[in-house]
Protein backbone atom coordinates (compact mmCIF):
# COMPACT_ATOMS: atom_id res chain seq x y z
CA UNK A 1 0.00 0.00 0.00
CA UNK A 2 1.34 3.42 -0.92
CA UNK A 3 1.98 6.25 1.51
CA UNK A 4 -0.79 8.17 -0.26
CA UNK A 5 -3.31 5.38 0.40
CA UNK A 6 -2.24 5.31 4.06
CA UNK A 7 -2.90 9.04 4.23
CA UNK A 8 -6.58 8.57 3.44
CA UNK A 9 -7.03 5.44 5.55
CA UNK A 10 -5.34 7.10 8.54
CA UNK A 11 -7.60 10.16 8.23
CA UNK A 12 -10.70 7.95 8.08
CA UNK A 13 -9.50 5.92 11.08
CA UNK A 14 -9.19 9.16 13.10
CA UNK A 15 -12.67 10.15 11.88
CA UNK A 16 -14.16 6.91 13.23
CA UNK A 17 -12.21 7.27 16.47
CA UNK A 18 -13.99 10.60 17.01
CA UNK A 19 -17.42 9.21 16.13
CA UNK A 20 -16.95 6.21 18.42
CA UNK A 21 -15.58 8.10 21.43
CA UNK A 22 -18.11 7.75 24.25
CA UNK A 23 -16.45 9.98 26.83
CA UNK A 24 -16.76 13.75 26.11
CA UNK A 25 -13.09 14.42 26.92
CA UNK A 26 -11.91 11.56 24.68
CA UNK A 27 -14.29 12.78 21.97
CA UNK A 28 -12.93 16.33 22.13
CA UNK A 29 -9.38 15.02 21.87
CA UNK A 30 -10.30 12.74 18.94
CA UNK A 31 -12.11 15.54 17.11
CA UNK A 32 -9.07 17.79 17.52
CA UNK A 33 -6.83 15.03 16.14
CA UNK A 34 -9.09 14.32 13.17
CA UNK A 35 -10.32 17.77 12.08
CA UNK A 36 -8.57 21.02 11.28
CA UNK A 37 -9.43 23.72 13.81
CA UNK A 38 -11.80 25.40 11.34
CA UNK A 39 -13.09 22.06 10.01
CA UNK A 40 -16.65 21.65 8.81
CA UNK A 41 -19.15 18.80 8.99
CA UNK A 42 -22.22 18.80 6.73
CA UNK A 43 -24.88 16.13 6.27
CA UNK A 44 -28.67 16.26 5.75
CA UNK A 45 -29.18 16.85 9.49
CA UNK A 46 -26.29 19.15 10.41
CA UNK A 47 -23.96 21.85 9.15
CA UNK A 48 -21.37 22.87 11.74
CA UNK A 49 -17.92 24.43 11.90
CA UNK A 50 -15.12 24.02 14.42
CA UNK A 51 -14.24 21.38 16.94
CA UNK A 52 -17.01 22.24 19.42
CA UNK A 53 -19.74 22.09 16.78
CA UNK A 54 -18.46 18.81 15.38
CA UNK A 55 -18.17 17.28 18.86
CA UNK A 56 -21.75 18.39 19.61
CA UNK A 57 -23.09 16.67 16.47
CA UNK A 58 -21.25 13.49 17.39
CA UNK A 59 -22.54 13.65 20.97
CA UNK A 60 -26.13 14.05 19.71
CA UNK A 61 -25.77 11.01 17.44
CA UNK A 62 -24.29 8.96 20.29
CA UNK A 63 -27.21 9.98 22.53
CA UNK A 64 -29.75 9.05 19.86
CA UNK A 65 -28.09 5.66 19.27
CA UNK A 66 -26.61 4.42 22.57
CA UNK A 67 -24.88 1.07 22.31
CA UNK A 68 -23.97 1.60 18.64
CA UNK A 69 -20.61 2.06 16.91
CA UNK A 70 -19.67 3.44 13.52
CA UNK A 71 -17.67 1.15 11.25
CA UNK A 72 -16.21 1.37 7.79
CA UNK A 73 -17.83 -0.67 5.03
CA UNK A 74 -15.77 -1.28 1.93
CA UNK A 75 -12.57 0.54 1.11
CA UNK A 76 -11.40 4.11 1.38
CA UNK A 77 -10.77 5.66 -2.02
CA UNK A 78 -8.78 8.85 -2.39
CA UNK A 79 -6.97 11.21 -4.70
CA UNK A 80 -5.39 14.61 -4.24
CA UNK A 81 -6.80 15.88 -0.92
CA UNK A 82 -10.16 14.08 -1.26
CA UNK A 83 -11.35 10.68 -0.01
CA UNK A 84 -14.67 8.86 0.02
CA UNK A 85 -15.91 5.94 2.06
CA UNK A 86 -19.06 4.27 3.31
CA UNK A 87 -20.03 3.37 6.86
CA UNK A 88 -22.67 1.72 9.02
CA UNK A 89 -23.92 2.40 12.52
CA UNK A 90 -23.90 -1.03 14.16
CA UNK A 91 -25.53 -2.24 17.38
CA UNK A 92 -22.93 -3.71 19.71
CA UNK A 93 -25.70 -5.91 21.17
CA UNK A 94 -27.10 -7.63 18.10
CA UNK A 95 -25.05 -6.50 15.08
CA UNK A 96 -27.96 -4.77 13.36
CA UNK A 97 -27.08 -1.71 11.31
CA UNK A 98 -30.12 0.56 10.97
CA UNK A 99 -28.16 3.55 9.67
CA UNK A 100 -25.67 3.68 6.81
CA UNK A 101 -24.09 6.43 4.81
CA UNK A 102 -21.32 7.63 2.55
CA UNK A 103 -18.98 10.51 3.22
CA UNK A 104 -16.55 12.57 1.19
CA UNK A 105 -13.75 14.31 3.08
CA UNK A 106 -11.18 16.88 2.11
CA UNK A 107 -7.86 17.03 3.93
CA UNK A 108 -5.56 19.91 4.76
CA UNK A 109 -1.79 19.89 4.37
CA UNK A 110 -1.40 18.13 7.73
CA UNK A 111 -3.87 15.36 6.78
CA UNK A 112 -6.55 16.65 9.11
CA UNK A 113 -10.11 16.88 7.86
CA UNK A 114 -11.00 20.25 6.43
CA UNK A 115 -14.56 19.28 5.45
CA UNK A 116 -16.96 16.35 5.48
CA UNK A 117 -19.87 16.05 3.08
CA UNK A 118 -22.07 13.30 4.47
CA UNK A 119 -24.93 11.41 2.85
CA UNK A 120 -27.38 9.16 4.66
CA UNK A 121 -28.08 6.05 2.59
CA UNK A 122 -30.24 4.20 5.13
CA UNK A 123 -32.14 5.74 8.05
CA UNK A 124 -34.86 4.11 10.16
CA UNK A 125 -38.30 5.68 10.06
CA UNK A 126 -38.73 8.28 12.78
CA UNK A 127 -34.99 8.80 13.32
Amino acid sequence: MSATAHRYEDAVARYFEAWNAEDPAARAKAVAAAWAEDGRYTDPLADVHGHEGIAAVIAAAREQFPGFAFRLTGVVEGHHDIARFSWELVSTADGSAPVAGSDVITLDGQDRIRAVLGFLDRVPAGA
Side-chain angles (χ1 to χ4, degrees):
M1 181 177 298
S2 71
T4 302
H6 280 295
R7 174 183 187 215
Y8 306 118
E9 289 183 356
D10 291 348
V12 171
R14 288 190 305 274
Y15 174 86
F16 283 115
E17 184 176 333
W19 277 95
N20 288 323
E22 294 182 20
D23 174 70
R27 184 178 309 120
K29 183 177 178 180
V31 167
W35 269 271
E37 195 168 319
D38 62 346
R40 181 175 185 177
Y41 177 85
T42 304
D43 72 14
L45 305 174
D47 186 11
V48 296
H49 294 83
H51 291 170
E52 287 184 20
I54 293 164
V57 166
I58 294 171
R62 303 234 16 109
E63 288 173 18
Q64 185 175 1
F65 293 97
F68 282 77
F70 288 88
R71 75 171 176 206
L72 180 68
T73 60
V75 298
V76 177
E77 296 179 284
H79 61 81
H80 298 88
D81 291 331
I82 303 165
R84 70 176 179 173
F85 57 94
S86 296
W87 52 267
E88 291 181 320
L89 184 59
V90 181
S91 168
T92 55
D94 65 13
S96 64
V99 182
S102 300
D103 292 352
V104 175
I105 62 173
T106 57
L107 302 177
D108 68 9
Q110 296 165 346
D111 294 342
R112 291 182 14 192
I113 298 170
R114 180 181 313 219
V116 176
L117 300 174
F119 296 86
L120 300 174
D121 302 326
R122 181 175 63 238
V123 180

